Amino acid sequence: MADVQRTLVLLKPDALQRDLLGEILTRFERKGLKIIGLKLFQLSDEQLNVHYAHLAEKSFFADLKTFMKHTPVVGIVLEGMEAIAEVRKMIGSTNPLQADAGTVRADFSMNVSSNLVHASDSVENAAEEVKRFFKEEELFAYAKITDQYIFG
Ligand code: DAT
Ligand code: MG
């Protein structure tokens, strides 16, 4: 049985600068993923230290944080069947040069440090990341007339 899950996506500053926000969001919409939360906001140093804690020792950590603060980002919470793995599949491998054709990163980027999009990679991280960036009142549960066609 497939689980209905929520996952956190960030459209990074390069997606905003390159006018790819709509293009990327459209892919998630067309998949049938439901937009539960959506906003433009500025990332803080504190948020990035937590969000990228697993990379704190890396040589590129400071540059990564600077890049993520260049412009506001778009935060999106998506809901759907096996949404966490499905969205990771749709964005592709971290390094765009290794990502499969048809994924966001392969189709629109070439450089690991400007790979356009973040998405949660596990059930635990998705729960934490949704909470990290969205308040409860910024998330919406609603029915869509297409639910029966998408969720079966
Ligand atoms: P992902 O974003 O696919 O979950 P990650 O969590 O390992 O990958 O890394 C977070 C971000 O850090 C990644 O999207 C881009 C940046 N990054 C990762 N590896 C890098 C590298 N070798 N050089 C520069 N930036 C890197
Ligand atoms: Mg990651």
Side-chain angles (χ1 to χ4, degrees), residues 89-143:
K89 203 192 289 175
M90 290 174 75
I91 72 169
S93 298
T94 305
N95 186 340
L97 297 180
Q98 282 150 21
D100 291 333
T103 63
V104 172
R105 285 165 166 174
D107 289 356
F108 302 118
S109 62
M110 291 185 271
N111 188 343
V112 67
S113 57
S114 46
N115 60 8
L116 297 169
V117 58
H118 166 85
S120 307
D121 63 3
S122 67
V123 172
E124 297 71 33
N125 285 341
E128 282 182 22
E129 291 175 2
V130 169
K131 243 192 277 176
R132 181 171 305 143
F133 298 114
F134 282 81
K135 299 188 189 108
E136 199 53 53
E137 62 266 29
E138 292 175 321
L139 299 173
F140 299 88
Y142 56 93

Side-chain angles (χ1 to χ4, degrees), residues 43-103:
L43 285 166
S44 69
D45 233 20
E46 294 69 32
Q47 283 174 321
L48 285 167
N49 285 337
V50 178
H51 188 65
Y52 285 137
H54 61 294
L55 301 171
E57 306 307 318
K58 300 286 188 190
S59 57
F60 57 81
F61 186 59
D63 288 344
L64 170 63
K65 289 205 306 178
T66 301
F67 164 71
M68 291 297 286
K69 291 187 292 185
H70 272 161
T71 69
V73 296
V74 175
I76 311 166
V77 181
L78 296 170
E79 187 177 83
M81 293 159 92
E82 302 296 324
I84 299 162
E86 287 304 298
V87 170
R88 285 293 295 197
K89 203 192 289 175
M90 290 174 75
I91 72 169
S93 298
T94 305
N95 186 340
L97 297 180
Q98 282 150 21
D100 291 333
T103 63

Side-chain angles (χ1 to χ4, degrees), residues 10-22 24 67 71 74 104 114-117:
L10 298 176
L11 305 184
K12 299 181 183 184
D14 50 337
L16 183 148
Q17 292 285 5
R18 295 181 53 208
D19 302 319
L20 289 169
L21 300 178
I24 298 169
F67 164 71
T71 69
V74 175
V104 172
S114 46
N115 60 8
L116 297 169
V117 58

